């Protein structure tokens, strides 16, 4: 379990496979702002709501200079099914070994119904054009989160 990122930190670079098996790197987005969001599992109600919210606001975010990358520990094949079923436009990336989730502090202890376990902490990290963390939000809610980001960023 790694430390949570703070504003001003250099965002850890990564290269992960998307739903089609293509490699996507954070460094390829240099010069653009990137919203990197971490979610527990494709095809689940909360994660579907969040991915649909990002998809619905993708053009607004893109016009404001933001790219959006969603990362979960799911395999690329499952991400493909998720994208097709929900008609998602957001780029979904697979992190099955949880290395990127860990590097961003988005994997760790969680509590549910009084039981502690390791899992994905729903998080969003906003990376500036230079690759530095602008904002790091942890334990966010799936519902209403995208609207809050848009409001907080003044978009």
């Amino acid at each position: 379990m790694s430390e949570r990122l703070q504003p001003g930190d250099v965002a850890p670079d990564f290269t992960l496979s998307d739903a089609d098996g293509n490699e996507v790197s954070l460094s390829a987005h240099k010069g653009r702002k990137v919203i990197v969001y971490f979610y527990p599992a494709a095809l689940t109600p909360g994660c579907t709501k969040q991915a649909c919210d990002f998809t619905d606001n993708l053009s607004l975010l893109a016009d404001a200079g933001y790219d959006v990358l969603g990362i979960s520990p799911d395999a690329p094949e499952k991400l493909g099914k998720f994208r097709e079923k929900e008609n998602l436009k957001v780029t979904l990336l697979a992190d099955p070994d949880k290395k990127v989730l860990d590097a961003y502090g988005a994997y760790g202890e969680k509590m549910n119904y009084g039981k502690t376990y390791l899992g994905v902490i729903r998080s969003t990290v906003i990376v500036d054009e230079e690759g530095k963390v602008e904002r790091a939000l942890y334990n966010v809610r799936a519902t209403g989160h995208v609207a809050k980001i848009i409001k907080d960023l003044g978009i």
Side-chain angles (χ1 to χ4, degrees), residues 20 79-88:
D20 299 314
L79 297 178
K81 288 179 186 149
F82 187 33
R83 182 185 61 197
E84 300 311 314
K85 181 175 188 274
E86 302 299 337
N87 199 23
L88 301 173

Side-chain angles (χ1 to χ4, degrees), residues 7-119:
D9 288 350
V10 173
D13 193 21
F14 57 80
T15 301
L16 295 172
S17 294
D18 69 7
D20 299 314
N22 301 312
E23 290 194 340
V24 176
S25 298
L26 178 64
S27 56
H29 293 266
K30 202 155 179 107
R32 302 253 317 150
K33 292 186 177 201
V34 185
I35 297 171
V36 183
Y37 80 96
F38 299 91
Y39 63 98
L43 300 166
T44 58
C47 297
T48 297
K49 172 79 177 116
Q50 189 177 22
C52 289
D53 281 354
F54 271 117
T55 293
D56 292 346
N57 290 287
L58 206 54
S59 61
L60 176 73
L61 291 165
D63 290 348
Y66 291 89
D67 295 333
V68 180
L69 303 174
I71 299 176
S72 75
D74 298 303
E77 301 77 35
K78 187 173 179 188
L79 297 178
K81 288 179 186 149
F82 187 33
R83 182 185 61 197
E84 300 311 314
K85 181 175 188 274
E86 302 299 337
N87 199 23
L88 301 173
K89 303 289 182 242
V90 88
T91 301
L92 301 174
L93 302 175
D95 185 22
D97 60 11
K98 303 175 188 73
K99 283 193 169 105
V100 177
L101 285 155
D102 194 47
Y104 277 76
Y107 187 80
E109 273 192 6
K110 294 172 68 166
M111 187 173 275
N112 198 12
Y113 301 112
K115 292 209 186 321
T116 303
Y117 63 99
L118 287 178

